[in-house]
Amino acid sequence: MAEIRLVDIEKKYGNFLAVPKQSLTIVDGEFLVLLGPSGCGKTTTMRMIAGLEDITSGDILIGGDRVNDKPPKDRDIAMVFQNYGLYPHMTVRQNIEYPLKLRGMAKADRAARVQETAEKVELDALLDRRPSELSGGQRQRVALARAIVRKPRIFLMDEPLSNLDAKLRVTMRAELKHLHHELGVTTVYVTHDQMEAMTLASRVAVMREGRIVQLDTPKRIYSEPADLFVAGFIGSPSMNLIEGAIRGGVFTAQGVSLPVTVSDRDDVVLGVRPEDLEIIQRDEAPIQGRLYALELTGDSTLVTLRTGKASVCARGPADFEAEINAPCHFAPKPGVRIHLFDRTSGQRIDGDAAQGTAA
Amino acid sequence: MRRLFAWWGERALLALVSVIVLFPIAWMFLTAFKRPRDAYSLSLDFEPTLQNFATVFADPWNLGDMVLNSVIVATVTVLIAVPCASLAAYSFSRFRVKGRKFLFFLILSTQFIPAVVIVLPFFLMFRTLGLLDTRVALIVVNLAIVTPFVIWMIKGFIDAIPTDSEEAAMIDGASRLRVIKDIVLPMAAPGILTSSIFCFILTWNEFLFALILTRRDAVTLPVGLVSFRTERGDLWELMSAAGVMITVPIFIMALLIQKHFTRGMTAGAVK
């Protein structure tokens, strides 16, 4: 177990700036998720920690040691790759054993450790097979077993679940969470799936164009997104974002008028989550429009109305029914958070969310 | 009706091509077992004999010496070229060094030079070094011809191996050389084996340099064939017997390559 500190690290490929100068401290024992769309630099950041990618400038410290010039093998890390990176010419047993073999562990000890690890991830029946004879989920387990067999200081996981089918992904997610709880090893996890990030992380670093735009607990990322990007990225279905202006203490857009606590200004984007809206039957509702679509998800119905250019979605009861194009009214549930952002800068303009942003 | 016609047309064309390709080979194999008086007839009605093989291995032809020369030259060339080329190919495939593309082009460009152009300088060089008519000279020349080609070939195989497994091994604690030994070589083995056999065949069949650089001691099989054109005329039955000796090992190797080509070693590494 160890703390990871990235100090002013920067990565350039020729003239292309992949990760601009920034710092990040990953606390000992933490499960930190790097979350962002593809090409946002999250994988590059992880590969720099692993030593698979040189850093252009800055320092990486693992457990207080500067590891900039250390090859991956001397960093005492383990990594799970998106495509698993198994050794196809070795059996499952040899795959799991390989890290121990490289570190010169005695043969008998190795066998015991492999057995113990294989049982932990339920692979003990498959030890003599080759990766090509395994299913995707089983291969994923081999990769995982190979990572945990050595008891490293740090786990790095690069989209480890993205090649699995949806059902298996949920099961493996729970297993990863349990494993982290059991082993308590500092873990850095890269994903573009906000659901994975929310469920697994102690803290989430949301990245965009190489920069960490918000670093916080999943709860605060969800309840107080620092800017429009985070607001739109986290949550499913995503937050309703409505462009408008504040006049006399009321946010106004076509079909929308909501009292807010921010002083009057133009170019405002109001954000409200679908689960924070309810469907009401009054005519003077704060959000009015015509019903555009109904999507039953099982436990609820997603109700979308259109007003002007904007679509607004609310999570309604599963038994909600209405005619398409019928007038439709939403109101925020009492006490929920209404988010306000500056339209040009994207920054939050209500309250104290700024403290959640990363350096 | 039209489809039937096309079907027969296709078969006829394939048969024609097969005959054109196979006729000389069949002719050689048959002639090798014919007596001198049958050699010029195309008749299949002849009494087969192994006498030609006995003759070519005996004095004055001594084909055995040439077989030995060919085997040594080809084997040593493969043993040197393939390990060197594998390392070079790995570097070209994996390391992003400045000028890499140019260097790779430069290596390949040596293949564009016609052999006849450089055979004379080689001759002069080896004469100066006192290496004319030695196997060493042939090995050096063959290395120069074959290595760039093998680098290019093996690079293709290594390019096709996903880097994930290599990176995993590096994180698991392997040095770069260990990664090459434990991960890359086993995964590239079918490709490397194929390249080795290719390299062997190229060297085995090499004619021009062997003709110019050897005289008596280091003569290889392809050059040896020429000696059957004597003042008494061309000894076709002996030439065919020697030709069979050249062809059979290559034929066996080609069969081996085919078997290995179809086996995908990288299956199961990813996804």
Side-chain angles (χ1 to χ4, degrees), chain B residues 218-255:
Chain B
V219 174
T220 56
L221 278 173
V223 177
L225 279 190
V226 182
S227 56
F228 295 109
R229 310 197 67 175
T230 65
E231 304 94 71
R232 291 186 288 134
D234 299 345
L235 307 174
W236 287 115
E237 69 288 351
L238 296 184
M239 209 185 274
S240 294
V244 169
M245 296 307 299
I246 298 179
T247 313
V248 167
I250 300 303
F251 188 72
I252 293 171
M253 284 189 183
L255 282 178

Side-chain angles (χ1 to χ4, degrees), chain A residues 150-297:
Chain A
R150 200 166 47 79
K151 303 189 173 149
R153 289 195 295 177
I154 291 163
F155 282 143
L156 303 175
M157 303 193 183
D158 186 4
E159 311 227 8
L161 305 182
S162 60
N163 284 336
L164 303 179
D165 62 64
K167 203 174 161 191
L168 199 54
R169 206 177 302 166
V170 176
T171 326
M172 286 299 290
R173 203 169 69 195
E175 286 183 28
L176 282 180
K177 183 135 199 180
H178 179 78
L179 210 58
H180 176 252
H181 178 75
E182 193 177 300
L183 304 172
V185 176
T186 314
T187 305
V188 183
Y189 188 105
V190 162
T191 184
H192 63 264
D193 181 336
Q194 47 105 7
M195 198 63 184
E196 269 173 38
M198 297 299 278
T199 50
L200 287 167
S202 333
R203 282 195 301 162
V204 179
V206 184
M207 293 186 73
R208 185 194 189 188
E209 287 163 9
R211 228 173 270 282
I212 297 174
V213 285
Q214 188 170 6
L215 172 65
D216 219 323
T217 60
K219 205 169 184 169
R220 279 180 59 90
I221 295 253
Y222 179 81
S223 63
E224 285 187 30
D227 65 7
L228 274 175
F229 173 75
V230 180
F233 199 74
I234 304 285
S236 173
S238 56
M239 187 186 281
N240 295 300
L241 297 170
I242 308 160
E243 291 183 14
I246 299 172
R247 295 276 179 270
V250 176
F251 173 87
T252 323
Q254 192 180 345
V256 181
S257 66
L258 267 169
V260 291
T261 53
V262 172
S263 52
D264 289 11
R265 60 187 287 176
D266 289 329
D267 291 337
V268 177
V269 177
L270 177 138
V272 58
R273 294 203 179 274
E275 45 273 48
D276 289 344
L277 289 175
E278 60 186 349
I279 304 152
I280 57 169
Q281 301 301 337
R282 276 181 287 129
D283 279 349
E284 69 281 19
I287 303 170
Q288 314 184 359
R290 292 195 170 271
L291 183 61
Y292 182 72
L294 282 178
E295 297 157 272
L296 181 66
T297 62

